[in-house]
Amino acid sequence: MSPAECNTEPCSEFAAVSPTYNRINNGNLYIGTSMCASRSPPLPAALASAPLDAGIEDSDTTHFLFGDPVPRKRKNSARLMFRCLWKNCGKVLSTSSAIQKHIRFAHLGRGKEKEHSDGEEDFYYTEMDVNVDTLSDGLSSLTPTSPTSAGPPPFPDVGSLAAAQVSDLPIVSPLSVSAPSTLCAICDCTQPEARNRPSVSIAAVLKTCLTYCLGVARLWLAAIGYSSCAFLLLIRKTRGEAKKCRKVYGMERKDLWCTACRWKKACQRFLD
DNA sequence: CTTGCCGGGTC
DNA sequence: GACCCGGCAAG
């Protein structure tokens, strides 16, 4: 990792970030997907090339979860709402900028002097279709705690997550047995009542799980003194180890592989 | 051993 | 072209 790769802000921040990064890496504190689970998918390739403070882009998250070519067009904004995930808030606004302002001012305690956002608020709201209102019911346990109230949020119980059974995955999951079940385990969306809600988008559920997981990781790092840039650098590192179609879908779902993988050529879907 | 994929083959 | 696969490097 060279300073030149820290392609956003604060490469003034890099001087502090670089040793931080090494320290974490050498100390085996792996954040990012591996922190959230013992078996996790690659992070979206698009995230790897995104500006470090760009936050998580919904379509890319969905893309990585389902392995389709990256859909560049957003959903019809008229049907898209943004819900605050802050504990006991749940405020729903119609635009991302509005929800970001709400989070900055109401929860992060940042005044107008902080015009340049570092993207932290991205972790405290989720997008939702207007027809997936019930999603919040199944995700109520995901509400993040205030970083200023009671220290860092607890780490997910990795042991119990690793014990999650493949059979707990939603039936619609296209992932192989080697693919992660952890995201579902975290948000407990494997509960029968969650499964039986036909209006709930699985992609939305998984996206929310991932968003929360990364949010917890970032808060946890911040609480122990690491910068958000360091957090994103760690994500970037794990991304280079992206699993390919074979690993993600498994031999039993070869029909889901990209053409190149089927022909034993360089994977076109999960690019490094 | 598994994985990713190059190189080269067949159709 | 599409498609398949032997074989190799890397882990």
Side-chain angles (χ1 to χ4, degrees), chain A residues 33-48:
Chain A
T33 56
S34 56
M35 164 200 152
C36 306
S38 58
R39 295 177 299 163
S40 292
L43 281 158
L47 189 58

Side-chain angles (χ1 to χ4, degrees), chain A residues 141-159:
Chain A
S141 63
L142 287 177
T143 307
T145 55
S146 167
T148 59
S149 60
F155 266 122
D157 182 348
V158 176

Side-chain angles (χ1 to χ4, degrees), chain A residues 86-157:
Chain A
W86 206 272
K87 189 173 185 178
N88 298 327
C89 180
K91 191 176 184 68
V92 176
L93 294 171
S94 58
T95 68
S96 60
S97 59
I99 197 74
Q100 286 171 3
K101 278 183 185 175
H102 159 75
I103 291 167
R104 275 204 303 275
F105 296 148
H107 302 311
L108 298 178
R110 293 176 182 172
K112 289 184 178 178
E113 76 282 359
K114 182 81 177 183
E115 278 304 322
H116 175 68
S117 166
D118 61 3
E120 181 175 355
E121 59 272 21
D122 291 348
F123 292 103
Y124 300 107
Y125 73 88
T126 184
E127 290 180 11
M128 61 183 202
D129 289 328
V130 291
N131 63 341
V132 294
D133 291 353
T134 54
L135 181 61
S136 61
D137 297 340
L139 297 174
S140 55
S141 63
L142 287 177
T143 307
T145 55
S146 167
T148 59
S149 60
F155 266 122
D157 182 348

